[in-house]
Structure formats: structure tokens, C-alpha cells
Amino acid sequence: MTFSSIIVHYREIGLKGRNRARFEDALVKNIKDTIALRGLDVRRIFGRILITLGQDVSHELIAERLRHVPGVSHFLFAVRVAPTMPEMSQAAVALLQSSEPFTTFRIEARRSEKDFPFSSMDVNRAVGAAAVAALGKRVKLVEPERTCTIEIVGRNAFLSLARVPGPGGLPAGISGTVAALLSGGIDSPVAAYKMIKRGARTVFVHFHSMPFTSPASVAKVRDLAAILARFQGASTLYLVPFADIQKTVMMETAARYRVLLYRRLMMRVAEALTRKDRVGALVTGESLGQVASQTLQNISAIGEAATLPVLRPLVGDDKEDIITEARKIGTFETSIQPHDDCCQVFLPRSPATKARVADLEMEEARLNIPALVQQALEKTTVEEIQPKWQN
Ligand code: ATP
Ligand code: MG
């Protein structure tokens, strides 16, 4: 079967007036930018987006990319015919015939043209009857093996058999900018993804302890950023050398507070570093109670070091669910590669689980915090990370 079009569906309740146009314009632009094929015709049509496929375009490539565009709820490869009963019937028969063997099917027509002479029901019946006659299959309205959808829009009928899910959410970039603290672990890439999916342009900040940790750990974070970049396009990655700060903290402060002091410094550095990106919030992969540093007391003691709000999209998620999501978005396999964690290198044996901000501030009084932050800023490097695709 040669598909001539793709119909892209989006859904967001409460999309009204100017917001709706903004959403749709951003979505069309992001689809074009993500697929990145010159001359691809992408346009809005009756509450959907129509992509017209030229010759010689790889359907795999286009499908892989569309699956990564936030705002897309699902899409369908379709054949386009004139909206007459004979044409639609003929196309439905050909489409069903081209699919794997099956016994039951239904036709599901929808129309946006109010002046179209038939109701959706009429189309279902007529095309369904034609397919029964031609193929000898049975119509089953509930859970059939095949559903042939017919969308009648803009004086065309688009027929398709399979819908491909997209991420849902909102077009990338429509909700402002945030800075995500990206470790090499499983959680923070998922947290960053959730923000990207809700339309926040996300810059990434990673703290590494080279030369005490290997360059492979930084390479791994680059890979994670390149996977996340599929969802928002070329992305900024800040790499902050953290070893000197850690050494200072280690020499000057009580061991049990170290992890929290590192984290509070990360907050301050991330905030100062991304000020010029006009970020509205910091994002972490913290999940309540997951590890000792993520008790309610510790999470809030860490957050208090920042003046920006700290968003924690995974705070109420179970590890299982986070792993499922990581697999779905494609970061899991990279996250589980061995790496040395910057904080493990300098880790105390019994970290505080209920730190009070007053105690942390007392420890911090032994440090020259502004100087440490400044020093980190000066040594930070920036990279632009391009999306890494399979096709
Ligand atoms: P993850 O799976 O994201 O590594 P985690 O379960 O290991 O998280 P923590 O080590 O307590 O949890 O880290 C909490 C959060 O702090 C991370 O999700 C991440 O947002 C941030 N973070 C930790 N280490 C780093 C790092 N080296 N660079 C940037 N951010 C970090
Ligand atoms: Mg970690």
C-alpha cells in the first residue's frame, strides 16, 4: 500500500482562542523542524495536521521522528481519495486486503465537512458492506481485529488502518525554559523529559568530578542529552567540573552533611549558570523517599539553596514506573551503563537523613560559597547537543 499522507492528531482540552493558534503554529513548526526534510508539506486542516508525503521519503524515518514530537497525540499513515462512496469503498478494500490476515473489522468514519452529503453512519454502512462483499470478512463493532478509519476533511477522504501513538503533551518551547540537573542515572533524564513534554525548553546541567571520574561518564551524559534532544531539537548541555568544590567541602565540613552540601552547591551553580537562559525553574529527578538524600527534610533543605522554584516531576512516582517511562523514551539502556557518580567518589558512610537547614548553614559558614560558585562558573563548558536518531 502506498500512503500519500499522514494525519496528525493533537488534543489538549482548554485550548482556546489565541492559545490554540499558538499551540498549532508551534506544533507545525516543530514537526517540520524535527522531520527536517526539505520541501515537506505540513499544514493545519480542520483541527488536525496534514503531512503530504512526496516520493522517495522514508516512512520509517518520518514515523520515528513524529513519535518524538510533543503535542502529537497520535498519527496515521493514510491513503487519500475523493470522498465518494465508490472511491472510499475501493480504497478501504485495498487497504484491508494489504494487511495481515484477519477475520473481523469495522469502518470508523468521521467528517469535518458539515456540507458533506452523507452522515458518518452512512459511510460506515456503505463502505462496510462493500468490504464484506469483496473480502468475505465479518463486521464486528466491538474490538474488531482491524479498524479502518476514514476521515473526511477538506473535500478529501483519508483512510488508514493503524494509529501510531505520539508523546502527547504540549509543543516544545511553548511553556518557557527550565534547567534540568542531569546525572547519568535513570531518574533525571525522565524528569527532564516530562518537562520537555509539557512544553518547557530544557537546558541540561551536569556536574562531573573529572579527573577522579572517567571521561566515559561525561560521554554517557552527552548520549542521554542526545536522546532527550529528539523531543526538543538541538539542546544546550552545561558541563560543570565539580571535583575542586567537592575537595573543599570534604576538607572543611562534617562528613554526614556532605551529600546535602554538594547538592545545595549544585542548585546555586545551576541557577547562576542558566540565568542568561532566562530559566523559570530548576528540575531534578528526586522522588520522595527513594534514597537517603530524598527524605522530605532533605529534599526541602536542598531546595532552599535555590531562589528559583525547584520542580520535581517524579516526586510521587515509584521506581518501577520511572523505569517503564525511561524504557519508553529510550534513555534506560544508556542510564544503566556503568558510570562513576560524582557524589559517590566523595561519599560519607552515614549521611544525614533529616538535615536541618540551620545545621547546613552552619557548615556552609566555613566555606566561601560565592567564590566556589564563581569558580565553578568559570570552569564550566557548554556544548550544543544534536538529536541522535536511529534512522
Ligand atoms: P538519578 O537517577 O537522576 O541520578 P538518583 O536517584 O541517583 O537520581 P540523587 O543521587 O539523590 O538521586 O540525585 C537527585 C537528583 O540530583 C538527580 O535526579 C539529579 O537531578 C540531581 N543530580 C545528582 N547528581 C547530579 C550530577 N552529577 N549532575 C547533575 N545533577 C545531578
Ligand atoms: Mg544518581
Side-chain angles (χ1 to χ4, degrees):
M1 207 71 217
T2 41
F3 296 108
S4 58
S5 324
I6 300 175
I7 302 280
V8 180
H9 287 250
Y10 48 89
R11 83 187 109 99
E12 262 299 316
I13 42 164
L15 270 183
K16 296 197 187 96
R18 220 180 303 152
N19 274 342
R20 177 167 196 116
R22 211 162 70 87
F23 177 106
E24 290 171 329
D25 290 345
L27 189 54
V28 168
K29 179 177 187 306
N30 291 352
I31 287 173
K32 281 186 182 160
D33 290 350
T34 307
I35 297 178
L37 288 179
R38 208 157 342 133
L40 193 74
D41 186 8
V42 183
R43 63 180 67 191
R44 286 160 49 176
I45 143 176
F46 296 96
R48 299 159 177 74
I49 289 167
L50 171 66
I51 303 175
T52 304
L53 299 169
Q55 306 285 311
D56 306 328
V57 294
S58 157
H59 289 188
E60 286 75 27
L61 181 146
I62 293 184
E64 185 198 9
R65 298 197 178 186
L66 263 185
R67 279 194 292 108
H68 289 86
V69 179
V72 171
S73 61
H74 67 271
F75 58 93
L76 311 105
F77 282 90
V79 292
R80 178 190 356 214
V81 297
T84 65
M85 291 298 190
E87 291 236 13
M88 291 189 291
S89 299
Q90 198 184 22
V93 168
L95 201 56
L96 285 163
Q97 222 158 15
S98 73
S99 91
E100 299 287 301
F102 66 96
T103 52
T104 59
F105 78 99
R106 79 169 162 215
I107 305 293
E108 193 183 282
R110 236 171 303 158
R111 57 188 188 131
S112 311
E113 291 283 274
K114 291 287 170 278
D115 61 352
F116 188 67
F118 314 111
S119 74
S120 302
M121 263 312 179
D122 295 336
V123 176
N124 290 345
R125 282 201 204 95
V127 175
V132 168
L135 303 169
K137 309 289 185 189
R138 194 157 57 79
V139 171
K140 186 166 176 257
L141 296 182
V142 181
E143 295 185 8
E145 287 167 70
R146 297 282 175 276
T147 297
C148 174
T149 59
I150 304 181
E151 302 196 46
I152 300 162
V153 281
R155 306 200 181 280
N156 287 296
F158 297 92
L159 291 86
S160 46
L161 276 185
R163 38 158 86 190
V164 187
L170 298 171
I174 197 169
S175 312
T177 306
V178 298
L181 280 76
L182 195 64
S183 73
I186 296 169
D187 303 329
S188 46
V190 177
Y193 164 73
K194 283 193 156 190
M195 297 307 299
I196 294 171
K197 190 182 113 169
R198 290 306 299 171
R201 164 140 285 277
T202 302
V203 300
F204 307 120
V205 184
H206 175 68
F207 296 83
H208 64 83
S209 310
M210 292 217 295
F212 300 98
T213 56
S214 70
S217 296
V218 172
K220 175 181 172 179
V221 171
R222 264 188 209 111
D223 285 345
L224 289 170
I227 295 169
L228 291 169
R230 293 171 184 163
F231 297 96
Q232 65 169 2
S235 304
T236 304
L237 171 64
Y238 293 101
L239 295 170
V240 188
F242 208 49
D244 288 343
I245 289 188
Q246 287 176 299
K247 270 194 278 182
T248 309
V249 170
M250 214 167 83
M251 284 186 298
E252 305 295 336
T253 66
R256 55 196 305 262
Y257 293 123
R258 253 174 231 157
V259 174
L260 297 172
L261 296 172
Y262 297 155
R263 292 277 188 269
R264 281 166 63 88
L265 276 155
M266 284 184 187
M267 293 291 156
R268 295 184 179 101
V269 173
E271 187 169 296
L273 195 58
T274 58
R275 194 160 288 141
K276 61 183 173 311
D277 299 306
R278 298 174 189 277
V279 307
L282 303 177
V283 178
T284 74
E286 289 161 312
S287 167
L288 185 59
Q290 197 191 86
V291 291
S293 59
Q294 295 174 13
T295 63
L296 209 46
Q297 290 87 343
N298 285 358
I299 285 183
S300 67
I302 294 167
E304 276 195 40
T307 61
L308 286 172
V310 180
L311 304 180
R312 305 172 181 88
L314 309 183
V315 73
D317 290 351
D318 294 347
K319 192 76 185 187
E320 291 265 311
D321 299 331
I322 298 170
I323 288 175
T324 303
E325 189 78 350
R327 285 188 197 281
K328 207 175 92 191
I329 65 174
T331 53
F332 183 74
E333 292 304 323
T334 304
S335 285
I336 59 171
Q337 300 296 318
H339 72 287
D340 16 52
D341 193 307
C342 75
C343 291
Q344 259 146 28
V345 180
F346 300 92
L347 209 62
R349 253 174 262 126
S350 56
T353 53
K354 291 186 182 175
R356 294 184 319 166
V357 174
D359 293 335
L360 295 171
E361 283 173 348
M362 227 147 71
E363 296 295 320
E364 284 170 353
R366 302 171 210 246
L367 305 167
N368 184 346
I369 298 278
L372 289 177
V373 171
Q374 188 54 35
Q375 191 188 317
L377 292 190
E378 280 161 15
K379 291 189 196 148
T380 296
T381 56
V382 196
E383 297 183 8
E384 180 164 271
I385 305 290
Q386 299 298 329
K388 185 174 78 182
W389 296 105
Q390 241 92 51
N391 285 294

